[in-house]
């Protein structure tokens, strides 16, 4: 399989559905629950339709595979995530542009979503590396990535411009195929406690 293939990934906790405009109302509701930290790029509720358009355009350009994240406990779409920075010839991909509404944070949603995406990347797409990146100052995101078992590759200084014009230092993490079994076991143990 390819990272760009249109797929739905699901387990008992979440369903990752190909992103579409039918998800806009739920995503707008989820976005309204968030406090916007200066180091994030989560759309405000009114900008969700434009963000869906942006992600679909990147999908059509062959550089992103976007998903809506549906929490099965409630049936609601609670966030977005993507396979991005797709380098199919070298079998490398990033999991990124992820955000989850407050009602689903610190729940089963993030570990279940990451478990599905990593399994697809390593087991179905034969990835040689999966990257996860976040703003250096986003301690909550960095802690979540580190809980997965991803290793810090380094900090890309002045990596990109933020919407407010400031420069972002990006913390870059990765998981390699030989690390995937331990990461999978850790995620399975976390989900078994839910």
């Amino acid at each position: 399989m390819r990272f760009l293939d249109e797929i739905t990934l699901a387990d008992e906790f979440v369903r990752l559905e190909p992103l579409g405009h039918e998800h806009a109302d739920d995503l707008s509701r989820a976005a309204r629950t968030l406090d916007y930290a200066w180091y994030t790029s989560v759309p405000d509720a009114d900008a969700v339709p434009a963000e869906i358009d942006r992600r679909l355009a990147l999908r059509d350009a062959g550089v992103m595979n976007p998903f809506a994240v549906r929490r099965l406990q409630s049936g609601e779409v609670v966030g977005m995530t993507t396979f991005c920075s797709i380098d199919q010839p070298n079998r490398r991909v990033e999991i990124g542009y992820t955000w989850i509404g407050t009602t689903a944070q610190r729940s089963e949603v993030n570990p279940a979503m990451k478990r599905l995406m990593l399994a697809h990347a390593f087991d179905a797409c034969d990835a040689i590396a999966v990257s996860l990146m976040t703003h250096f100052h986003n301690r909550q995101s960095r802690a979540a990535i580190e809980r997965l078992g991803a290793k810090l590759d380094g900090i890309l200084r002045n990596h990109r411009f933020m919407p407010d014009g400031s420069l972002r230092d990006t913390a870059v993490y990765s998981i390699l195929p030989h690390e995937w079994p331990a990461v999978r076991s850790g995620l399975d143990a976390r989900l078994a406690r839910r």
Side-chain angles (χ1 to χ4, degrees):
M1 293 195 78
R2 299 175 316 126
F3 301 119
L4 278 170
D5 290 344
E6 188 172 300
I7 54 166
T8 298
L9 301 171
D11 63 13
E12 64 186 286
F13 303 107
V14 298
R15 185 169 56 243
L16 305 181
E17 305 170 2
L19 181 66
H21 284 284
E22 66 274 14
H23 301 114
D25 288 344
D26 275 358
L27 288 168
S28 292
R29 273 192 295 282
R32 278 189 199 94
T33 70
L34 296 169
D35 292 326
Y36 297 100
W38 63 270
Y39 48 75
T40 65
S41 56
V42 176
D44 65 33
D46 295 334
V48 164
E51 178 61 11
I52 291 171
D53 286 339
R54 186 184 78 80
R55 291 182 186 215
L56 294 179
L58 290 168
R59 179 203 61 200
D60 294 345
V63 296
M64 178 183 280
N65 192 351
F67 299 93
V69 180
R70 186 176 300 278
R71 187 178 192 184
L72 296 181
Q73 178 186 42
S74 66
E76 290 183 302
V77 172
V78 296
M80 296 185 198
T81 192
T82 75
F83 283 126
C84 56
S85 303
I86 294 170
D87 181 356
Q88 191 66 52
N90 290 303
R91 301 194 331 260
R92 298 182 65 93
V93 71
E94 177 188 344
I95 295 173
Y97 297 94
T98 302
W99 64 267
I100 301 168
T102 304
T103 60
Q105 290 179 6
R106 292 185 174 80
S107 74
E108 76 286 356
V109 171
N110 191 50
M113 173 180 58
K114 294 297 193 298
R115 170 69 166 85
L116 288 168
M117 295 181 82
L118 289 165
H120 183 73
F122 287 116
D123 301 338
C125 297
D126 198 26
I128 65 165
V130 176
S131 298
L132 300 106
M133 299 185 188
T134 191
H135 196 298
F136 176 80
H137 291 289
N138 191 341
R139 301 289 181 199
Q140 181 180 346
S141 179
R142 290 182 69 181
I145 293 169
E146 290 169 7
R147 277 192 303 273
L148 291 173
K151 305 278 190 302
L152 179 66
D153 294 329
I155 308 297
L156 297 176
R157 300 185 63 201
N158 284 357
H159 179 230
R160 67 173 59 144
F161 285 99
M162 296 295 291
D164 68 359
S166 65
L167 285 165
R168 166 179 145 161
D169 290 348
T170 300
V172 181
Y173 294 84
S174 67
I175 300 169
L176 302 180
H178 69 278
E179 298 164 338
W180 168 229
V183 169
R184 180 179 54 225
S185 293
L187 286 167
D188 288 346
R190 284 170 64 188
L191 290 168
R193 294 190 299 264
R194 299 293 176 171

